[in-house]
Coordinates of all heavy atoms in Angstrom, one line a residue:
L16 N 103.6 79.2 120.2 CA 104.8 79.0 120.9 C 105.5 80.3 121.3 O 106.3 80.3 122.3 CB 105.8 78.2 120.0 CG 105.3 76.8 119.6 CD1 106.2 76.2 118.5 CD2 105.3 75.9 120.8
V17 N 105.3 81.4 120.6 CA 105.9 82.6 120.9 C 104.8 83.6 121.4 O 104.0 84.0 120.6 CB 106.6 83.2 119.7 CG1 107.3 84.6 120.1 CG2 107.7 82.3 119.3
A18 N 104.8 84.0 122.7 CA 103.8 84.7 123.3 C 103.5 86.1 122.6 O 102.4 86.5 122.4 CB 104.0 84.9 124.8
V19 N 104.6 86.8 122.2 CA 104.5 88.1 121.7 C 104.2 88.2 120.2 O 104.1 89.2 119.6 CB 105.7 89.0 122.0 CG1 106.0 89.1 123.5 CG2 106.9 88.4 121.3
G20 N 104.0 87.0 119.6 CA 103.8 86.9 118.1 C 102.7 87.8 117.6 O 102.9 88.5 116.6
P21 N 101.5 87.8 118.2 CA 100.4 88.6 117.7 C 100.7 90.1 117.6 O 100.1 90.9 116.9 CB 99.3 88.3 118.6 CG 99.6 87.0 119.1 CD 101.1 87.0 119.3
T22 N 101.7 90.6 118.4 CA 102.1 92.0 118.3 C 102.5 92.4 116.9 O 102.3 93.5 116.4 CB 103.2 92.3 119.4 OG1 102.7 92.1 120.7 CG2 103.6 93.8 119.3
Y23 N 103.1 91.4 116.3 CA 103.7 91.6 115.0 C 102.9 91.0 113.8 O 102.8 91.5 112.7 CB 105.1 91.0 114.9 CG 106.0 91.6 116.0 CD1 106.1 91.1 117.3 CD2 106.8 92.7 115.7 CE1 106.9 91.7 118.2 CE2 107.7 93.3 116.6 CZ 107.7 92.8 117.9 OH 108.5 93.3 118.9
F24 N 102.2 89.8 114.1 CA 101.5 89.1 113.1 C 100.1 88.7 113.5 O 99.6 87.7 113.0 CB 102.3 87.8 112.8 CG 103.8 88.1 112.5 CD1 104.8 87.6 113.3 CD2 104.2 88.8 111.3 CE1 106.1 87.8 113.0 CE2 105.5 89.0 111.0 CZ 106.5 88.5 111.9
G25 N 99.5 89.5 114.4 CA 98.2 89.1 114.9 C 97.1 89.2 113.9 O 96.0 88.7 114.1
N26 N 97.3 89.8 112.7 CA 96.3 89.9 111.7 C 96.4 88.8 110.7 O 95.7 88.7 109.7 CB 96.5 91.3 111.0 CG 97.8 91.4 110.3 OD1 98.8 90.9 110.7 ND2 97.8 92.2 109.2
F27 N 97.4 87.9 110.8 CA 97.5 86.7 109.9 C 96.4 85.7 110.3 O 96.1 85.5 111.4 CB 98.9 86.1 110.1 CG 100.0 86.9 109.5 CD1 99.9 88.2 109.1 CD2 101.3 86.3 109.4 CE1 101.0 88.9 108.6 CE2 102.4 87.0 108.9 CZ 102.2 88.3 108.4
T28 N 95.9 85.1 109.2 CA 94.9 84.0 109.4 C 95.4 82.7 108.8 O 94.9 81.6 109.3 CB 93.6 84.4 108.8 OG1 93.8 84.6 107.4 CG2 93.0 85.6 109.4
A29 N 96.4 82.7 107.9 CA 96.9 81.5 107.3 C 98.2 81.8 106.7 O 98.4 82.9 106.1 CB 95.9 80.9 106.3
V30 N 99.2 80.8 106.8 CA 100.5 80.9 106.1 C 100.7 79.5 105.5 O 100.7 78.5 106.3 CB 101.6 81.3 107.0 CG1 102.9 81.5 106.2 CG2 101.3 82.6 107.7
E31 N 101.0 79.4 104.2 CA 101.2 78.1 103.6 C 102.3 78.1 102.5 O 102.4 79.1 101.8 CB 100.0 77.5 103.1 CG 99.3 78.3 102.0 CD 98.1 77.6 101.4 OE1 98.1 76.4 101.1 OE2 97.1 78.3 101.2
A32 N 103.1 77.1 102.5 CA 104.1 76.9 101.4 C 103.3 76.5 100.1 O 102.8 75.4 100.1 CB 105.1 75.9 101.8
V33 N 103.3 77.3 99.1 CA 102.6 76.9 97.9 C 103.4 76.0 97.0 O 102.9 75.0 96.5 CB 102.3 78.2 97.1 CG1 101.7 77.9 95.7 CG2 101.4 79.1 97.9
D34 N 104.7 76.3 96.9 CA 105.7 75.4 96.2 C 107.0 75.6 96.9 O 107.1 76.2 97.9 CB 105.7 75.6 94.7 CG 105.9 77.1 94.3 OD1 106.7 77.7 95.0 OD2 105.2 77.5 93.4
E35 N 108.1 75.1 96.2 CA 109.4 75.2 96.9 C 110.0 76.6 97.1 O 110.9 76.8 97.9 CB 110.4 74.3 96.1 CG 110.7 74.9 94.7 CD 111.8 74.1 93.9 OE1 112.1 73.0 94.4 OE2 112.2 74.5 92.9
D36 N 109.4 77.6 96.3 CA 110.0 78.9 96.5 C 108.9 80.0 96.6 O 109.2 81.2 96.4 CB 110.9 79.3 95.3 CG 110.2 79.3 94.0 OD1 109.0 78.9 93.9 OD2 110.8 79.7 93.0
T37 N 107.7 79.6 97.1 CA 106.6 80.5 97.2 C 105.8 80.3 98.5 O 105.5 79.1 98.8 CB 105.6 80.5 96.0 OG1 106.4 80.6 94.8 CG2 104.7 81.7 96.1
V38 N 105.6 81.3 99.3 CA 104.8 81.2 100.5 C 103.6 82.2 100.4 O 103.8 83.3 100.0 CB 105.6 81.5 101.8 CG1 104.7 81.4 103.0 CG2 106.8 80.5 101.9
L39 N 102.4 81.7 100.7 CA 101.2 82.5 100.6 C 100.8 82.9 102.0 O 100.6 82.1 102.9 CB 100.1 81.8 99.9 CG 98.8 82.5 99.8 CD1 98.9 83.8 98.9 CD2 97.7 81.6 99.3
F40 N 100.6 84.2 102.3 CA 100.2 84.8 103.5 C 98.7 85.3 103.4 O 98.5 86.1 102.4 CB 101.1 85.9 104.0 CG 102.5 85.4 104.4 CD1 103.4 85.3 103.4 CD2 102.8 85.2 105.7 CE1 104.7 84.9 103.7 CE2 104.1 84.9 106.0 CZ 105.1 84.7 105.0
T41 N 97.9 84.9 104.3 CA 96.5 85.5 104.2 C 96.3 86.3 105.5 O 96.6 85.8 106.6 CB 95.5 84.3 104.2 OG1 95.7 83.5 103.0 CG2 94.1 84.9 104.0
T42 N 95.7 87.5 105.4 CA 95.5 88.3 106.5 C 94.0 88.5 106.7 O 93.2 88.3 105.8 CB 96.1 89.7 106.3 OG1 95.6 90.3 105.1 CG2 97.6 89.5 106.2
S43 N 93.6 89.0 107.9 CA 92.2 89.1 108.2 C 91.5 90.3 107.5 O 90.3 90.4 107.4 CB 92.0 89.2 109.7 OG 92.7 90.3 110.2
A44 N 92.4 91.3 107.1 CA 91.9 92.5 106.4 C 93.1 93.0 105.6 O 94.2 92.6 105.8 CB 91.5 93.5 107.5
P45 N 92.9 94.0 104.7 CA 94.0 94.6 104.0 C 95.0 95.1 105.0 O 94.7 95.6 106.0 CB 93.3 95.7 103.3 CG 91.9 95.3 103.0 CD 91.6 94.5 104.3
D46 N 96.3 94.8 104.7 CA 97.4 95.1 105.6 C 98.3 96.2 105.0 O 99.0 95.9 104.0 CB 98.2 93.9 105.8 CG 99.2 94.0 106.9 OD1 99.6 95.2 107.3 OD2 99.8 93.0 107.4
P47 N 98.3 97.4 105.5 CA 99.1 98.5 104.9 C 100.6 98.4 105.2 O 101.4 99.0 104.5 CB 98.6 99.8 105.6 CG 98.1 99.2 107.0 CD 97.5 97.9 106.7
I48 N 101.0 97.5 106.1 CA 102.4 97.4 106.4 C 103.0 96.0 106.3 O 103.9 95.6 107.0 CB 102.7 98.0 107.8 CG1 101.8 97.3 108.9 CG2 102.5 99.5 107.8 CD1 102.2 97.7 110.3
F49 N 102.3 95.1 105.5 CA 102.7 93.7 105.5 C 104.2 93.5 105.3 O 104.8 92.8 106.1 CB 101.9 93.0 104.4 CG 102.4 91.6 104.2 CD1 101.8 90.6 104.9 CD2 103.3 91.3 103.2 CE1 102.2 89.2 104.8 CE2 103.7 89.9 103.0 CZ 103.2 88.9 103.8
P50 N 104.9 94.1 104.3 CA 106.3 93.8 104.2 C 107.2 94.2 105.4 O 108.2 93.6 105.8 CB 106.7 94.5 102.9 CG 105.5 94.8 102.2 CD 104.4 94.9 103.3
S51 N 106.8 95.4 106.0 CA 107.6 95.9 107.1 C 107.5 95.0 108.3 O 108.4 95.1 109.2 CB 107.1 97.3 107.5 OG 107.3 98.2 106.4
R52 N 106.5 94.2 108.5 CA 106.4 93.3 109.6 C 107.6 92.4 109.8 O 108.0 92.0 110.9 CB 105.1 92.5 109.6 CG 103.8 93.3 109.6 CD 102.6 92.5 109.7 NE 101.4 93.3 109.6 CZ 100.9 94.0 110.7 NH1 101.5 93.9 111.9 NH2 99.8 94.7 110.6
F53 N 108.2 92.0 108.6 CA 109.3 91.0 108.7 C 110.6 91.7 108.9 O 111.6 91.0 108.9 CB 109.2 90.3 107.3 CG 107.9 89.5 107.1 CD1 107.0 90.1 106.3 CD2 107.7 88.4 107.8 CE1 105.8 89.4 106.1 CE2 106.4 87.7 107.6 CZ 105.5 88.3 106.7
T54 N 110.7 93.0 109.0 CA 112.0 93.7 109.2 C 112.3 93.7 110.6 O 113.4 94.2 111.0 CB 111.9 95.1 108.6 OG1 111.0 95.9 109.4 CG2 111.5 95.1 107.2
T55 N 111.5 93.3 111.5 CA 111.7 93.3 113.0 C 112.5 92.0 113.4 O 112.6 91.1 112.6 CB 110.4 93.4 113.8 OG1 109.7 92.1 113.7 CG2 109.5 94.4 113.2
T56 N 112.9 92.0 114.6 CA 113.6 90.8 115.1 C 112.6 89.5 115.0 O 113.1 88.4 114.9 CB 114.1 90.9 116.6 OG1 114.9 89.8 116.9 CG2 112.9 91.1 117.5

């Protein structure tokens, strides 16, 4: 739905809610800047 999404999250392969307060992110390869990706708009 958001065209520019892969610029920030293009290495994601899956995102799922594990339980009410945990979300699991899977990436295509080790990600050296995973937490920083969410500091952007």
Side-chain angles (χ1 to χ4, degrees):
L16 296 169
V17 178
V19 299
T22 299
Y23 302 85
F24 309 113
N26 63 329
F27 287 10
T28 58
V30 183
E31 61 177 315
V33 176
D34 52 41
E35 65 176 10
D36 62 355
T37 310
V38 179
L39 179 66
F40 294 81
T41 305
T42 60
S43 59
D46 188 346
I48 55 171
F49 174 84
S51 295
R52 296 185 184 280
F53 301 100
T54 65
T55 72
T56 188

